[in-house]
Every structure is written in structure tokens, then in C-alpha cells.
Amino acid sequence: MFILFGIGALLPWNAVLTALDFFIQSFPNYNPAFIFGLTLNAPNFVFNFVGILLARHVSLKLRFVGGLVIIF
């Protein structure tokens, strides 16, 4: 479960890095590096915070499966 969660968290980051090269080449006067990092890390922070708050009320298995369903 931890491996799948790690893969699910890293796949969007790899997509962002690939898209970043495209946007830097297409728009040379604009540097989107800060915006892409923010758009990827902000939802991770929010969902991790929600997961911490739900830890007392929801079982570990349900949190993992729910998170993987949202990622997929």
C-alpha cells in the first residue's frame, strides 16, 4: 500500500516535470516553475492534513483505499 501511495504521489510530479520543459520552450518569457510546484504540492498538503484529521475516525485500510481511488 505504501509503495502504491508513493507511486501515486510521484507520477503527477513526473508529468509536471515533463510539461515544464514544454512550457519553458513554448513560452520563453514566462517561467512557470513556481506555479507548477505550487499546484502540485498544495493539494497534497490539503489531503494529507485531511487524512490526519480523519485518522481517529476512519480505519487505515479505508483511508489508503480511498486515497488510491481518488488518485486513480
Side-chain angles (χ1 to χ4, degrees):
M1 295 286 248
F2 282 113
I3 291 172
L4 289 176
F5 186 72
I7 291 171
L10 290 177
L11 280 176
W13 182 249
N14 287 335
V16 165
L17 291 179
T18 303
L20 189 60
D21 292 337
F22 169 77
F23 283 109
I24 288 174
Q25 185 178 15
S26 297
F27 305 105
N29 296 330
Y30 179 68
N31 186 7
F34 175 74
I35 299 298
F36 278 170
L38 184 64
T39 58
L40 184 66
N41 289 323
N44 278 339
F45 174 75
V46 170
F47 283 111
N48 281 329
F49 188 72
V50 169
I52 290 170
L53 292 177
L54 292 176
R56 294 183 185 174
H57 307 291
V58 180
S59 70
L60 179 64
K61 183 177 180 180
L62 183 62
R63 284 184 285 151
F64 270 118
V65 171
L68 289 174
V69 167
I70 290 172
I71 289 170
F72 287 120

